[in-house]
PDB file of all heavy atoms in Angstrom:
ATOM      1  N   ASN A 119      -3.092  58.089  37.993  1.00 97.00           N
ATOM      2  CA  ASN A 119      -3.636  58.030  39.305  1.00 97.00           C
ATOM      3  C   ASN A 119      -4.546  56.888  39.364  1.00 97.00           C
ATOM      4  O   ASN A 119      -5.546  56.835  38.704  1.00 97.00           O
ATOM      5  CB  ASN A 119      -4.283  59.286  39.556  1.00 97.00           C
ATOM      6  CG  ASN A 119      -3.310  60.573  39.706  1.00 97.00           C
ATOM      7  OD1 ASN A 119      -2.893  60.875  40.747  1.00 97.00           O
ATOM      8  ND2 ASN A 119      -2.885  61.072  38.501  1.00 97.00           N
ATOM      9  N   LEU A 120      -4.307  56.001  40.386  1.00 97.00           N
ATOM     10  CA  LEU A 120      -5.158  54.835  40.614  1.00 97.00           C
ATOM     11  C   LEU A 120      -5.708  54.816  42.069  1.00 97.00           C
ATOM     12  O   LEU A 120      -4.867  55.104  43.000  1.00 97.00           O
ATOM     13  CB  LEU A 120      -4.357  53.581  40.366  1.00 97.00           C
ATOM     14  CG  LEU A 120      -3.783  53.371  38.972  1.00 97.00           C
ATOM     15  CD1 LEU A 120      -2.809  52.275  38.989  1.00 97.00           C
ATOM     16  CD2 LEU A 120      -4.890  53.194  37.877  1.00 97.00           C
ATOM     17  N   SER A 121      -6.973  54.664  42.180  1.00 94.00           N
ATOM     18  CA  SER A 121      -7.665  54.587  43.523  1.00 94.00           C
ATOM     19  C   SER A 121      -8.033  53.107  43.888  1.00 94.00           C
ATOM     20  O   SER A 121      -8.454  52.455  43.046  1.00 94.00           O
ATOM     21  CB  SER A 121      -8.817  55.529  43.443  1.00 94.00           C
ATOM     22  OG  SER A 121      -9.654  55.291  44.550  1.00 94.00           O
ATOM     23  N   ASP A 122      -8.042  52.999  45.191  1.00 92.00           N
ATOM     24  CA  ASP A 122      -8.412  51.706  45.728  1.00 92.00           C
ATOM     25  C   ASP A 122      -9.977  51.839  45.972  1.00 92.00           C
ATOM     26  O   ASP A 122     -10.330  52.392  46.930  1.00 92.00           O
ATOM     27  CB  ASP A 122      -7.683  51.379  47.014  1.00 92.00           C
ATOM     28  CG  ASP A 122      -8.257  50.062  47.689  1.00 92.00           C
ATOM     29  OD1 ASP A 122      -9.055  49.407  47.111  1.00 92.00           O
ATOM     30  OD2 ASP A 122      -7.831  49.839  48.892  1.00 92.00           O
ATOM     31  N   GLY A 123     -10.726  51.286  45.121  1.00 87.00           N
ATOM     32  CA  GLY A 123     -12.160  51.239  45.292  1.00 87.00           C
ATOM     33  C   GLY A 123     -12.922  52.678  45.125  1.00 87.00           C
ATOM     34  O   GLY A 123     -14.101  52.692  45.426  1.00 87.00           O
ATOM     35  N   GLY A 124     -12.158  53.622  44.653  1.00 85.00           N
ATOM     36  CA  GLY A 124     -12.794  54.864  44.390  1.00 85.00           C
ATOM     37  C   GLY A 124     -12.547  55.931  45.441  1.00 85.00           C
ATOM     38  O   GLY A 124     -13.011  57.058  45.350  1.00 85.00           O
ATOM     39  N   GLU A 125     -11.550  55.775  46.283  1.00 87.00           N
ATOM     40  CA  GLU A 125     -11.259  56.718  47.348  1.00 87.00           C
ATOM     41  C   GLU A 125     -10.579  57.958  46.606  1.00 87.00           C
ATOM     42  O   GLU A 125      -9.998  57.870  45.495  1.00 87.00           O
ATOM     43  CB  GLU A 125     -10.240  56.084  48.378  1.00 87.00           C
ATOM     44  CG  GLU A 125     -10.856  55.040  49.208  1.00 87.00           C
ATOM     45  CD  GLU A 125      -9.757  54.370  50.097  1.00 87.00           C
ATOM     46  OE1 GLU A 125      -8.568  54.459  49.698  1.00 87.00           O
ATOM     47  OE2 GLU A 125     -10.128  53.877  51.113  1.00 87.00           O
ATOM     48  N   ASP A 126     -10.501  59.073  47.401  1.00 87.00           N
ATOM     49  CA  ASP A 126      -9.782  60.196  46.875  1.00 87.00           C
ATOM     50  C   ASP A 126      -8.277  59.992  46.933  1.00 87.00           C
ATOM     51  O   ASP A 126      -7.521  60.513  46.199  1.00 87.00           O
ATOM     52  CB  ASP A 126     -10.117  61.519  47.717  1.00 87.00           C
ATOM     53  CG  ASP A 126     -11.513  62.070  47.338  1.00 87.00           C
ATOM     54  OD1 ASP A 126     -12.055  61.573  46.280  1.00 87.00           O
ATOM     55  OD2 ASP A 126     -11.915  62.984  47.916  1.00 87.00           O
ATOM     56  N   ALA A 127      -7.891  59.194  47.971  1.00 91.00           N
ATOM     57  CA  ALA A 127      -6.498  58.790  48.157  1.00 91.00           C
ATOM     58  C   ALA A 127      -6.086  57.981  46.857  1.00 91.00           C
ATOM     59  O   ALA A 127      -6.875  57.049  46.436  1.00 91.00           O
ATOM     60  CB  ALA A 127      -6.243  57.948  49.390  1.00 91.00           C
ATOM     61  N   VAL A 128      -4.866  58.289  46.374  1.00 95.00           N
ATOM     62  CA  VAL A 128      -4.382  57.558  45.077  1.00 95.00           C
ATOM     63  C   VAL A 128      -2.999  57.119  45.125  1.00 95.00           C
ATOM     64  O   VAL A 128      -2.203  57.575  45.917  1.00 95.00           O
ATOM     65  CB  VAL A 128      -4.557  58.544  43.872  1.00 95.00           C
ATOM     66  CG1 VAL A 128      -6.050  58.772  43.536  1.00 95.00           C
ATOM     67  CG2 VAL A 128      -3.740  59.769  44.043  1.00 95.00           C
ATOM     68  N   THR A 129      -2.730  56.060  44.392  1.00 98.00           N
ATOM     69  CA  THR A 129      -1.323  55.659  44.049  1.00 98.00           C
ATOM     70  C   THR A 129      -1.000  56.280  42.794  1.00 98.00           C
ATOM     71  O   THR A 129      -1.749  56.235  41.796  1.00 98.00           O
ATOM     72  CB  THR A 129      -1.199  54.120  44.047  1.00 98.00           C
ATOM     73  OG1 THR A 129      -1.696  53.538  45.211  1.00 98.00           O
ATOM     74  CG2 THR A 129       0.119  53.655  43.626  1.00 98.00           C
ATOM     75  N   ILE A 130       0.193  56.831  42.629  1.00 98.00           N
ATOM     76  CA  ILE A 130       0.673  57.520  41.451  1.00 98.00           C
ATOM     77  C   ILE A 130       1.865  56.691  40.840  1.00 98.00           C
ATOM     78  O   ILE A 130       2.902  56.566  41.601  1.00 98.00           O
ATOM     79  CB  ILE A 130       1.038  58.969  41.657  1.00 98.00           C
ATOM     80  CG1 ILE A 130      -0.198  59.690  42.333  1.00 98.00           C
ATOM     81  CG2 ILE A 130       1.493  59.622  40.362  1.00 98.00           C
ATOM     82  CD1 ILE A 130       0.139  61.138  42.672  1.00 98.00           C
ATOM     83  N   ARG A 131       1.718  56.377  39.534  1.00 98.00           N
ATOM     84  CA  ARG A 131       2.818  55.631  38.923  1.00 98.00           C
ATOM     85  C   ARG A 131       3.094  56.152  37.448  1.00 98.00           C
ATOM     86  O   ARG A 131       2.163  56.639  36.803  1.00 98.00           O
ATOM     87  CB  ARG A 131       2.469  54.128  38.886  1.00 98.00           C
ATOM     88  CG  ARG A 131       2.295  53.472  40.172  1.00 98.00           C
ATOM     89  CD  ARG A 131       1.444  52.243  40.164  1.00 98.00           C
ATOM     90  NE  ARG A 131       2.036  51.173  39.348  1.00 98.00           N
ATOM     91  CZ  ARG A 131       1.389  50.030  39.187  1.00 98.00           C
ATOM     92  NH1 ARG A 131       0.232  49.717  39.863  1.00 98.00           N
ATOM     93  NH2 ARG A 131       1.844  49.068  38.391  1.00 98.00           N
ATOM     94  N   GLU A 132       4.343  56.200  37.101  1.00 98.00           N
ATOM     95  CA  GLU A 132       4.823  56.745  35.923  1.00 98.00           C
ATOM     96  C   GLU A 132       4.496  55.722  34.765  1.00 98.00           C
ATOM     97  O   GLU A 132       4.914  54.494  34.952  1.00 98.00           O
ATOM     98  CB  GLU A 132       6.214  57.110  35.910  1.00 98.00           C
ATOM     99  CG  GLU A 132       6.734  57.855  34.661  1.00 98.00           C
ATOM    100  CD  GLU A 132       8.205  58.207  34.633  1.00 98.00           C
ATOM    101  OE1 GLU A 132       8.858  57.907  35.611  1.00 98.00           O
ATOM    102  OE2 GLU A 132       8.635  58.948  33.712  1.00 98.00           O
ATOM    103  N   PHE A 133       4.005  56.169  33.694  1.00 98.00           N
ATOM    104  CA  PHE A 133       3.603  55.381  32.477  1.00 98.00           C
ATOM    105  C   PHE A 133       4.249  55.902  31.223  1.00 98.00           C
ATOM    106  O   PHE A 133       4.299  57.122  31.024  1.00 98.00           O
ATOM    107  CB  PHE A 133       2.048  55.308  32.411  1.00 98.00           C
ATOM    108  CG  PHE A 133       1.616  54.352  31.454  1.00 98.00           C
ATOM    109  CD1 PHE A 133       1.331  52.994  31.777  1.00 98.00           C
ATOM    110  CD2 PHE A 133       1.282  54.705  30.193  1.00 98.00           C
ATOM    111  CE1 PHE A 133       0.730  52.036  30.940  1.00 98.00           C
ATOM    112  CE2 PHE A 133       0.693  53.783  29.265  1.00 98.00           C
ATOM    113  CZ  PHE A 133       0.486  52.474  29.659  1.00 98.00           C
ATOM    114  N   ASP A 134       4.712  54.973  30.384  1.00 98.00           N
ATOM    115  CA  ASP A 134       5.395  55.427  29.105  1.00 98.00           C
ATOM    116  C   ASP A 134       4.309  55.111  27.934  1.00 98.00           C
ATOM    117  O   ASP A 134       3.955  53.968  27.741  1.00 98.00           O
ATOM    118  CB  ASP A 134       6.665  54.633  28.852  1.00 98.00           C
ATOM    119  CG  ASP A 134       7.326  55.008  27.600  1.00 98.00           C
ATOM    120  OD1 ASP A 134       7.964  56.112  27.558  1.00 98.00           O
ATOM    121  OD2 ASP A 134       7.358  54.196  26.615  1.00 98.00           O
ATOM    122  N   LEU A 135       3.944  56.195  27.249  1.00 98.00           N
ATOM    123  CA  LEU A 135       2.966  55.976  26.109  1.00 98.00           C
ATOM    124  C   LEU A 135       3.458  55.278  24.974  1.00 98.00           C
ATOM    125  O   LEU A 135       2.749  54.412  24.413  1.00 98.00           O
ATOM    126  CB  LEU A 135       2.452  57.348  25.809  1.00 98.00           C
ATOM    127  CG  LEU A 135       1.637  58.204  26.772  1.00 98.00           C
ATOM    128  CD1 LEU A 135       1.176  59.488  26.231  1.00 98.00           C
ATOM    129  CD2 LEU A 135       0.384  57.298  27.149  1.00 98.00           C
ATOM    130  N   PRO A 136       4.716  55.489  24.463  1.00 97.00           N
ATOM    131  CA  PRO A 136       5.192  54.732  23.300  1.00 97.00           C
ATOM    132  C   PRO A 136       5.174  53.157  23.554  1.00 97.00           C
ATOM    133  O   PRO A 136       4.771  52.420  22.622  1.00 97.00           O
ATOM    134  CB  PRO A 136       6.610  55.219  23.080  1.00 97.00           C
ATOM    135  CG  PRO A 136       6.564  56.637  23.494  1.00 97.00           C
ATOM    136  CD  PRO A 136       5.688  56.512  24.784  1.00 97.00           C
ATOM    137  N   THR A 137       5.577  52.759  24.704  1.00 98.00           N
ATOM    138  CA  THR A 137       5.727  51.333  24.976  1.00 98.00           C
ATOM    139  C   THR A 137       4.384  50.784  25.649  1.00 98.00           C
ATOM    140  O   THR A 137       4.331  49.602  25.787  1.00 98.00           O
ATOM    141  CB  THR A 137       6.857  50.975  25.849  1.00 98.00           C
ATOM    142  OG1 THR A 137       6.702  51.664  27.144  1.00 98.00           O
ATOM    143  CG2 THR A 137       8.178  51.422  25.216  1.00 98.00           C
ATOM    144  N   LYS A 138       3.504  51.680  26.026  1.00 98.00           N
ATOM    145  CA  LYS A 138       2.222  51.293  26.767  1.00 98.00           C
ATOM    146  C   LYS A 138       2.463  50.477  28.015  1.00 98.00           C
ATOM    147  O   LYS A 138       1.840  49.421  28.201  1.00 98.00           O
ATOM    148  CB  LYS A 138       1.284  50.603  25.732  1.00 98.00           C
ATOM    149  CG  LYS A 138       0.985  51.326  24.547  1.00 98.00           C
ATOM    150  CD  LYS A 138      -0.076  50.746  23.698  1.00 98.00           C
ATOM    151  CE  LYS A 138       0.366  49.545  22.980  1.00 98.00           C
ATOM    152  NZ  LYS A 138      -0.613  48.912  22.059  1.00 98.00           N
ATOM    153  N   ALA A 139       3.545  50.860  28.804  1.00 98.00           N
ATOM    154  CA  ALA A 139       3.794  50.132  29.947  1.00 98.00           C
ATOM    155  C   ALA A 139       4.318  51.095  31.111  1.00 98.00           C
ATOM    156  O   ALA A 139       4.796  52.275  30.859  1.00 98.00           O
ATOM    157  CB  ALA A 139       4.970  49.175  29.681  1.00 98.00           C
ATOM    158  N   PHE A 140       4.145  50.658  32.354  1.00 98.00           N
ATOM    159  CA  PHE A 140       4.731  51.407  33.396  1.00 98.00           C
ATOM    160  C   PHE A 140       6.145  51.414  33.419  1.00 98.00           C
ATOM    161  O   PHE A 140       6.875  50.462  32.955  1.00 98.00           O
ATOM    162  CB  PHE A 140       4.258  50.899  34.845  1.00 98.00           C
ATOM    163  CG  PHE A 140       2.783  51.087  35.040  1.00 98.00           C
ATOM    164  CD1 PHE A 140       1.798  50.172  34.894  1.00 98.00           C
ATOM    165  CD2 PHE A 140       2.301  52.368  35.481  1.00 98.00           C
ATOM    166  CE1 PHE A 140       0.449  50.338  35.109  1.00 98.00           C
ATOM    167  CE2 PHE A 140       0.960  52.675  35.734  1.00 98.00           C
ATOM    168  CZ  PHE A 140       0.083  51.600  35.551  1.00 98.00           C
ATOM    169  N   VAL A 141       6.771  52.534  33.770  1.00 98.00           N
ATOM    170  CA  VAL A 141       8.205  52.711  33.624  1.00 98.00           C
ATOM    171  C   VAL A 141       8.975  51.949  34.788  1.00 98.00           C
ATOM    172  O   VAL A 141       8.712  52.238  35.927  1.00 98.00           O
ATOM    173  CB  VAL A 141       8.594  54.209  33.646  1.00 98.00           C
ATOM    174  CG1 VAL A 141      10.129  54.394  33.565  1.00 98.00           C
ATOM    175  CG2 VAL A 141       7.884  55.003  32.545  1.00 98.00           C
ATOM    176  N   LYS A 142       9.755  50.932  34.350  1.00 96.00           N
ATOM    177  CA  LYS A 142      10.568  50.365  35.446  1.00 96.00           C
ATOM    178  C   LYS A 142      11.517  51.257  36.073  1.00 96.00           C
ATOM    179  O   LYS A 142      12.300  51.992  35.444  1.00 96.00           O
ATOM    180  CB  LYS A 142      11.258  49.116  34.801  1.00 96.00           C
ATOM    181  CG  LYS A 142      10.489  47.965  34.149  1.00 96.00           C
ATOM    182  CD  LYS A 142      11.257  46.892  33.621  1.00 96.00           C
ATOM    183  CE  LYS A 142      10.383  45.745  33.223  1.00 96.00           C
ATOM    184  NZ  LYS A 142      11.071  44.506  32.630  1.00 96.00           N
ATOM    185  N   GLY A 143      11.432  51.374  37.362  1.00 96.00           N
ATOM    186  CA  GLY A 143      12.303  52.264  38.144  1.00 96.00           C
ATOM    187  C   GLY A 143      11.870  53.701  38.005  1.00 96.00           C
ATOM    188  O   GLY A 143      12.536  54.686  38.530  1.00 96.00           O
ATOM    189  N   GLY A 144      10.733  53.909  37.403  1.00 97.00           N
ATOM    190  CA  GLY A 144      10.204  55.286  37.304  1.00 97.00           C
ATOM    191  C   GLY A 144       9.507  55.866  38.563  1.00 97.00           C
ATOM    192  O   GLY A 144       9.629  55.193  39.537  1.00 97.00           O
ATOM    193  N   PHE A 145       8.959  56.981  38.394  1.00 98.00           N
ATOM    194  CA  PHE A 145       8.316  57.606  39.551  1.00 98.00           C
ATOM    195  C   PHE A 145       7.160  56.715  40.050  1.00 98.00           C
ATOM    196  O   PHE A 145       6.326  56.169  39.214  1.00 98.00           O
ATOM    197  CB  PHE A 145       7.743  59.010  39.187  1.00 98.00           C
ATOM    198  CG  PHE A 145       8.806  59.978  38.854  1.00 98.00           C
ATOM    199  CD1 PHE A 145       8.971  60.602  37.660  1.00 98.00           C
ATOM    200  CD2 PHE A 145       9.613  60.481  40.023  1.00 98.00           C
ATOM    201  CE1 PHE A 145       9.929  61.589  37.470  1.00 98.00           C
ATOM    202  CE2 PHE A 145      10.558  61.418  39.722  1.00 98.00           C
ATOM    203  CZ  PHE A 145      10.750  61.922  38.526  1.00 98.00           C
ATOM    204  N   SER A 146       7.131  56.512  41.370  1.00 97.00           N
ATOM    205  CA  SER A 146       6.047  55.683  41.928  1.00 97.00           C
ATOM    206  C   SER A 146       5.833  56.275  43.270  1.00 97.00           C
ATOM    207  O   SER A 146       6.700  56.195  44.176  1.00 97.00           O
ATOM    208  CB  SER A 146       6.470  54.227  42.011  1.00 97.00           C
ATOM    209  OG  SER A 146       5.431  53.395  42.535  1.00 97.00           O
ATOM    210  N   LEU A 147       4.583  56.761  43.590  1.00 97.00           N
ATOM    211  CA  LEU A 147       4.233  57.284  44.887  1.00 97.00           C
ATOM    212  C   LEU A 147       3.205  56.418  45.508  1.00 97.00           C
ATOM    213  O   LEU A 147       2.128  56.197  44.901  1.00 97.00           O
ATOM    214  CB  LEU A 147       3.662  58.711  44.725  1.00 97.00           C
ATOM    215  CG  LEU A 147       4.660  59.705  43.909  1.00 97.00           C
ATOM    216  CD1 LEU A 147       3.955  61.010  43.808  1.00 97.00           C
ATOM    217  CD2 LEU A 147       5.907  59.866  44.594  1.00 97.00           C
ATOM    218  N   PRO A 148       3.397  55.900  46.704  1.00 96.00           N
ATOM    219  CA  PRO A 148       2.444  54.951  47.358  1.00 96.00           C
ATOM    220  C   PRO A 148       1.236  55.805  47.721  1.00 96.00           C
ATOM    221  O   PRO A 148       1.169  56.970  47.847  1.00 96.00           O
ATOM    222  CB  PRO A 148       3.128  54.443  48.508  1.00 96.00           C
ATOM    223  CG  PRO A 148       4.396  55.413  48.766  1.00 96.00           C
ATOM    224  CD  PRO A 148       4.694  55.909  47.414  1.00 96.00           C
ATOM    225  N   LYS A 149       0.120  55.031  48.052  1.00 95.00           N
ATOM    226  CA  LYS A 149      -1.187  55.527  48.237  1.00 95.00           C
ATOM    227  C   LYS A 149      -1.185  56.641  49.308  1.00 95.00           C
ATOM    228  O   LYS A 149      -0.573  56.586  50.287  1.00 95.00           O
ATOM    229  CB  LYS A 149      -2.072  54.358  48.756  1.00 95.00           C
ATOM    230  CG  LYS A 149      -3.438  54.783  49.156  1.00 95.00           C
ATOM    231  CD  LYS A 149      -4.237  53.617  49.694  1.00 95.00           C
ATOM    232  CE  LYS A 149      -5.608  54.082  50.254  1.00 95.00           C
ATOM    233  NZ  LYS A 149      -6.381  52.866  50.662  1.00 95.00           N
ATOM    234  N   GLY A 150      -1.934  57.660  48.942  1.00 93.00           N
ATOM    235  CA  GLY A 150      -2.183  58.738  49.816  1.00 93.00           C
ATOM    236  C   GLY A 150      -3.036  59.851  49.203  1.00 93.00           C
ATOM    237  O   GLY A 150      -3.243  59.854  48.032  1.00 93.00           O
ATOM    238  N   LYS A 151      -3.549  60.824  50.030  1.00 92.00           N
ATOM    239  CA  LYS A 151      -4.177  61.990  49.533  1.00 92.00           C
ATOM    240  C   LYS A 151      -3.016  62.875  49.102  1.00 92.00           C
ATOM    241  O   LYS A 151      -2.477  63.533  50.004  1.00 92.00           O
ATOM    242  CB  LYS A 151      -5.088  62.652  50.572  1.00 92.00           C
ATOM    243  CG  LYS A 151      -6.476  62.047  50.610  1.00 92.00           C
ATOM    244  CD  LYS A 151      -7.399  62.908  51.497  1.00 92.00           C
ATOM    245  CE  LYS A 151      -8.818  62.266  51.370  1.00 92.00           C
ATOM    246  NZ  LYS A 151      -9.804  63.147  52.184  1.00 92.00           N
TER     247      LYS A 151
END
């Protein structure tokens, strides 16, 4: 969950722990509460 400047609204992106990278084509939800 990533926020623009600290807002409650967030962007949500899927991350892979073994590769330490965001998942290409993975879950990605644009900014919103």
Side-chain angles (χ1 to χ4, degrees):
N119 292 263
L120 300 171
S121 164
D122 176 10
E125 296 174 334
D126 284 354
V128 293
T129 298
I130 302 177
R131 293 158 65 178
E132 186 179 8
F133 189 85
D134 183 71
L135 291 180
T137 61
K138 301 187 292 187
F140 288 103
V141 178
K142 292 182 179 179
F145 290 114
S146 181
L147 307 179
K149 176 182 173 180
K151 280 192 174 182

